[in-house]
Amino acid sequence: MKDNSKTIVDFNFSLIADFFARLNRQGPGSEDVTKKALSFIDNLADVKKMVDLGCGTGTQTLTLAENTDAHITAIDLIPEMIEVFDGRIKETKLEQRISTVVGSMGESPFAENSLDLVWAEGSIYNIGYNYGLKYWHQYLKKGCYIGVSEASWFTEERPDEIQEFWDANYPEIDTIPIKIAQMRDAGYTPVAHFILPETCWLDEFYAPMPKVAEEFLIRNAGNKIAEEFMQMNSHEVELYKRYKEYYGYVFYIGKKI
Ligand code: SAM
């Protein structure tokens, strides 16, 4: 039966979920990168309460749980992501340490000055890096840390094609010095930053996609929007391969002043 109550936004969200919730990662990253970012946090053993924003299906959340003693609240807007993640958590011994929430990272369920660590891998862009850093500042305790990975330019100039792609998709992308200055302006001491290795994109994120895409197209056979969605996705992969010397993800770690 046709569901006439769906808007285009709902429809696209369900396609996004149908594809991305079948991947272990919904963005570039790796276990080593999460551990490296954690290594810049002083007194990690004192981190008892943390949040993982835009957790997706939770691969980095599991790494965070395995490498801290914290209780982690993992938040994602898309229910299917949380559903998959809940299933994964049940297969571990970490059930007592992770709570999942379907919700927006723009609406904190926490009290002010209550968090020991705020984490967001490849996800703060959903509310904007600047806004996100400022918004979550109030929920962190003084002297505690935020770790986010964020799309960044590696050069001052770049070819029009890739500039136009990012202007259309995430105009807040900027150079590393500007991202660091923005972190300072948001009320943090920038403690460390590092570029995610290309393997985080090519092996961890993109390599599993063709098989998942093939199955997605079979499930959604005849659906033109689904086909367009996969073409758009392949185009993004191609752009990364062609222009990866100009941009990538950078992990930024800051300490609340
Ligand atoms: N952190 C995961 C990773 O690195 O694999 C997922 C990154 S993915 C690029 C971004 C995630 O943010 C998606 O799972 C998406 O559902 C979620 N998301 C989008 N908008 C959101 C919002 N306003 N609040 C919470 N999560 C959101």
Side-chain angles (χ1 to χ4, degrees):
M1 200 173 78
K2 198 162 174 251
D3 180 2
N4 290 318
S5 65
K6 275 188 175 175
T7 66
I8 187 75
V9 172
D10 294 329
F11 185 64
N12 283 333
F13 255 63
S14 70
L15 281 182
I16 290 167
D18 188 5
F19 179 66
F20 281 105
R22 286 180 165 81
L23 294 165
N24 274 346
R25 287 189 182 277
Q26 289 70 45
S30 75
E31 186 176 354
D32 283 351
V33 155
T34 302
K35 284 166 64 173
K36 180 170 173 174
L38 276 177
S39 76
F40 293 105
I41 290 158
D42 274 345
N43 304 321
L44 190 58
D46 294 339
V47 172
K48 300 295 176 213
K49 187 175 172 183
M50 69 175 287
V51 65
D52 184 19
L53 304 171
C55 62
T57 55
T59 294
Q60 78 289 316
T61 325
L62 294 174
T63 303
L64 292 166
E66 283 157 5
N67 290 279
T68 66
D69 296 325
H71 180 275
I72 307 173
T73 303
I75 302 178
D76 202 281
L77 194 61
I78 298 186
E80 289 88 340
M81 301 288 182
I82 294 295
E83 203 180 306
V84 171
F85 187 27
D86 283 341
R88 294 177 80 188
I89 295 169
K90 285 203 184 84
E91 288 166 16
T92 70
K93 294 197 172 93
L94 297 164
E95 273 183 281
Q96 305 304 316
R97 301 260 318 285
I98 303 172
S99 305
T100 56
V101 175
V102 175
S104 171
M105 66 176 82
E107 289 166 24
S108 166
F110 304 104
E112 286 183 15
N113 303 307
S114 67
L115 294 172
D116 300 313
L117 182 58
V118 173
W119 208 258
E121 291 200 24
S123 58
I124 199 83
Y125 73 90
N126 286 298
I127 53 171
Y129 175 84
N130 275 298
Y131 178 81
L133 290 185
K134 286 179 189 154
Y135 179 74
W136 284 95
H137 188 269
Q138 64 198 307
Y139 299 103
L140 257 184
K141 292 179 191 162
K142 192 166 180 246
C144 288
Y145 290 75
I146 190 165
V148 303
S149 62
E150 165 79 350
S152 308
W153 294 125
F154 299 156
T155 56
E156 290 299 328
E157 293 187 6
R158 43 261 158 194
D160 288 347
E161 186 182 22
I162 196 61
Q163 180 75 52
E164 282 160 18
F165 171 81
W166 279 96
D167 284 348
N169 285 283
Y170 185 54
E172 224 184 299
I173 184 173
D174 221 318
T175 58
I176 296 172
I178 289 179
K179 291 282 176 193
I180 292 171
Q182 289 168 339
M183 179 169 258
R184 189 176 293 112
D185 290 347
Y188 304 90
T189 303
V191 170
H193 71 275
F194 63 91
I195 294 174
L196 273 65
E198 288 174 10
T199 51
C200 288
W201 296 75
L202 299 173
D203 301 342
E204 301 276 346
F205 186 35
Y206 291 155
M209 277 187 185
K211 185 169 178 291
V212 176
E214 196 184 321
E215 291 161 359
F216 172 89
L217 287 171
I218 292 170
R219 264 195 316 282
N220 293 284
N223 181 336
K224 290 280 169 237
I225 298 177
E227 285 170 18
E228 264 174 47
F229 176 44
M230 281 304 97
Q231 281 159 10
M232 194 190 75
N233 201 58
S234 302
H235 179 60
E236 280 191 33
V237 175
E238 284 314 309
L239 284 179
Y240 178 72
K241 288 180 180 166
R242 206 175 322 147
Y243 294 117
K244 57 187 163 56
E245 74 213 73
Y246 296 99
Y247 73 97
Y249 263 54
V250 176
F251 230 114
Y252 298 95
I253 296 107
K255 183 176 181 178
K256 177 172 170 175
I257 298 165

